[in-house]
């Protein structure tokens, strides 16, 4: 479904060009959950934005190929890209506080991709929106439909974002650190929710995180990135139990452990 | 959830004064005690009386009627000026702030050039080119008002452009126009509101100033600035003429600027 080959991204907004992603390769099948881990600035978000077709076409140079169901995302015309975005590819961002328009009701924002991509009647749109809101396990979808973002908590907003992302049943859902801004119990709930969505709609999920334990819980396959390079990739269990790259080992060692804390 | 306090003293005071001014001048379009242009030699410089609550001017015209209809003219000019300025500024600011790049550079440099001149001077130049009169004043002032609105909207667009909700709208496949006008523009309204109020303020002042200098509204239309300039000749004979028309301008400005400050504090 998704094939990324030799993706290179260079920034050209400074005097010297800066490579942020180097020879990135990724293949994803329908219904697969792939984790992308790495520290801040390792290029994971950049790769994801490129896959979503969100990278600005100015100030940066991109080489390689991103093919989504036969469409070349890097080079296809804007309107073709737009017809994919929101319909077949959706994304959930890290910061649920900023990712909803503060002046639009929740219902409006959940329905928006339907409004753009289909000519469904308002009534049908509302029906689907309410269903999406209840699918992300928000209590009282009807009430929430009429609320504004500032009236919801962070966890609820992230659920709303997920509802908006899945309403048109995308084939690929990109989650860019969707749980980083949330507390631990909510994190676990969101993970469960993503798993459920993956099972029910066979939605492929590209899960980006720096939290290895989350990735381990959710993903079958993982890619480890460091300074724009993929240093290791493979089955999640394999990577975590027998890391090959030095960096992966360091990353795993950096997970705080109870025993270690006690010793210190 | 606790809501932020919606009203403050300045907002209330500004709203009350503005409402009073607007109501009085709106009523003036349908009813004034006398025809504001009716001359009556018998009541030349008539003092304050029941018949003429604010007295009469050098042609025996009723000052109250002239103030009411003059405020109407001034307000209509201010409204149209702000409308042209804010809509023009919104379009220019939206395009430059959202797209950036060459369009931004070209439009904003032009903007800077307009801003570099004092606005009254610039309006003067316009008037001397296209001639004076109500509609020409509106056009001249409107164009002069565009740059300040454009700057403001541009700054807000740049701020909102990088917000996640804009990216997520983009990701939903929304077109640039949709993002600009459905998502970002409503979010600039809070800043726009207070500057629209202050824009009214400036427009009233600019119109009064131009009419005072005799390049604004032409007779027989009355406007507050024109009345002030007429009153100037008789300031010792009939000080109330200048005082009342001046007071009306002060009232307008006070109302709009308090409204603006109140909106800003929201």
């Amino acid at each position: 479904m998704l094939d990324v080959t030799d993706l290179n991204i260079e920034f050209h907004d400074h005097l010297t060009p800066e490579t942020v992603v180097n020879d990135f390769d990724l293949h994803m099948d329908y219904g697969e959950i792939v984790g992308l881990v790495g520290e801040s600035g390792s290029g994971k978000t950049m790769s994801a934005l490129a896959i979503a077709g969100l990278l600005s076409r100015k100030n940066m140079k991109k080489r390689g190929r991103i093919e989504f169901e036969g469409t070349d995302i890097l080079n296809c015309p804007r309107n073709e890209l737009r017809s994919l975005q929101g319909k077949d590819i959706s994304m959930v961002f890290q910061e649920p506080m900023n990712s909803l328009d503060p002046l639009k009701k929740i219902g409006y924002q959940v329905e928006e991709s339907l409004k753009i991509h289909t000519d469904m009647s308002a009534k049908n749109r509302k029906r689907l929106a309410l269903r999406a809101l209840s699918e992300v396990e928000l209590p009282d979808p009807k009430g929430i439909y009429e609320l504004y973002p500032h009236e919801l908590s962070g966890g609820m907003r992230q659920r709303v974002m997920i509802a908006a992302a899945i309403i048109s049943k995308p084939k690929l859902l990109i989650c860019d650190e969707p749980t980083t801004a949330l507390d631990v119990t909510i994190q676990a709930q969101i993970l469960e929710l993503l798993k459920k969505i993956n099972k029910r709609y066979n939605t492929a999920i590209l899960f980006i995180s720096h939290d290895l334990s989350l990735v381990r819980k959710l993903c079958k396959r993982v890619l480890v990135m460091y300074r724009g390079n993929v240093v290791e990739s493979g089955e999640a269990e394999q990577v975590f139990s027998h890391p090959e790259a030095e960096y992966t080992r360091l990353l795993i060692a950096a997970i705080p452990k109870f025993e270690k804390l006690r010793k210190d | 959830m606790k809501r932020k306090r919606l009203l403050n003293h300045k907002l209330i005071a500004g709203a009350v004064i503005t409402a009073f001014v607007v109501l009085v001048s709106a009523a003036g379009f349908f009813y004034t005690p006398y025809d504001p242009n009716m001359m009556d030699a018998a009541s030349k410089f008539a003092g304050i009386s029941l018949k003429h609550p604010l007295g009469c001017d050098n042609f025996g015209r009723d000052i109250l009627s002239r103030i009411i209809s003059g405020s109407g003219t001034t307000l209509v000019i201010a409204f149209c000026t702000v409308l042209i300025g804010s809509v023009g500024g919104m379009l220019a600011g939206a395009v430059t702030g959202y797209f950036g790049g060459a369009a931004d550079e070209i439009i904003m440099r032009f903007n800077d050039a307009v801003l570099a001149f004092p606005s009254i001077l610039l309006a003067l130049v316009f008037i001397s080119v296209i001639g004076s009169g109500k509609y020409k004043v509106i056009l001249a002032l409107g164009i002069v008002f565009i740059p300040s609105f454009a700057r403001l909207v541009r700054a807000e667009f740049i701020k909102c452009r990088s917000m996640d909700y804009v990216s997520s709208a983009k990701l939903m496949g929304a077109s640039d126009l949709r993002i600009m006008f459905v998502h970002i523009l409503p979010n600039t309204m809070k800043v726009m509101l207070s500057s629209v109020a202050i824009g009214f303020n400036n427009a009233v002042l600019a119109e009064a100033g131009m009419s005072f200098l005799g390049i604004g509204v032409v007779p027989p239309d009355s406007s507050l600035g024109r009345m002030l300039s007429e009153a100037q000749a008789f300031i010792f004979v009939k000080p109330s003429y200048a005082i009342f028309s001046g007071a009306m301008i002060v009232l307008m400005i006070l109302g709009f600027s308090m409204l603006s400050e109140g909106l800003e504090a929201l």
Side-chain angles (χ1 to χ4, degrees), chain A residues 136-234:
Chain A
V136 295
E137 289 155 11
L138 279 165
D140 185 23
K142 274 202 183 102
I144 285 179
Y145 187 91
E146 298 291 334
L147 292 181
Y148 287 94
H150 74 270
E151 295 171 288
L152 300 182
S153 70
M156 289 165 95
R157 287 187 214 189
Q158 201 59 295
R159 285 170 193 268
V160 168
M161 283 307 293
I162 296 176
I166 62 164
I167 191 165
S168 48
K169 305 201 175 70
K171 291 164 186 147
L172 174 63
L173 177 64
I174 301 172
C175 300
D176 185 5
E177 309 225 7
T179 59
T180 308
L182 306 174
D183 64 55
V184 183
T185 45
I186 311 283
Q187 278 186 4
Q189 293 171 9
I190 298 275
L191 279 197
E192 283 309 308
L193 181 61
L194 288 176
K195 270 190 197 165
K196 256 184 220 165
I197 288 164
N198 167 260
K199 282 227 182 73
R200 196 172 301 159
Y201 298 120
N202 201 28
T203 306
I205 298 178
L206 179 59
F207 187 84
I208 302 169
S209 181
H210 57 247
D211 190 335
L212 290 173
S213 53
L214 289 181
V215 173
R216 191 173 189 170
K217 264 184 229 158
L218 185 69
C219 308
K220 274 210 198 66
R221 234 154 33 85
V222 348
L223 277 76
V224 182
M225 281 187 91
Y226 178 60
R227 293 202 169 174
N229 293 300
V230 176
V231 290
E232 186 160 2
S233 69

Side-chain angles (χ1 to χ4, degrees), chain A residues 52 54 58 78 82 85-86 90-91 93 95 98-104 108-109 112 116-117 150-151 164, chain B residues 1 3 99-101 163-176 178 182-184 186-188:
Chain A
L54 272 184
K58 281 174 280 182
R78 282 284 289 271
R82 276 214 299 268
Q85 290 175 330
S90 291
M91 190 157 172
F93 293 92
E95 196 45 78
N98 299 335
S99 41
L100 291 166
D101 186 336
L103 294 180
K104 303 264 177 350
Y108 181 95
Q109 306 197 44
E112 179 146 32
I116 293 168
H117 293 290
H150 74 270
E151 295 171 288
Chain B
M1 204 171 281
R3 277 171 188 272
F99 291 111
M163 298 290 255
D164 276 347
Y165 65 82
V166 171
S167 312
S168 79
K170 228 182 249 176
L171 192 73
M172 283 174 181
S175 62
D176 287 331
R178 187 179 168 87
V182 177
H183 290 280
I184 303 184
N187 280 295
T188 65

Side-chain angles (χ1 to χ4, degrees), chain B residues 87-148:
Chain B
V87 170
M90 230 181 253
L91 289 177
V95 169
T96 55
Y98 185 76
F99 291 111
D104 183 27
E105 285 299 324
I106 293 168
I107 297 179
M108 287 323 280
R109 288 307 75 78
F110 187 73
N111 217 11
D112 288 343
V114 177
L115 272 176
F117 292 98
S119 51
I120 281 282
L121 192 68
L122 205 62
L124 270 173
V125 172
F126 272 114
I127 291 298
S128 60
V129 173
I130 58 180
S132 58
K134 203 162 152 185
Y135 300 105
K136 286 164 182 166
V137 170
I138 291 174
L139 187 66
L141 284 179
I143 292 173
V144 169
F145 272 44
I146 289 177
S148 58

Side-chain angles (χ1 to χ4, degrees), chain B residues 242-257:
Chain B
I243 290 173
F244 288 126
S245 34
M248 194 64 186
I249 297 178
V250 170
L251 212 56
M252 277 186 186
I253 306 257
L254 195 67
F256 285 127
S257 60

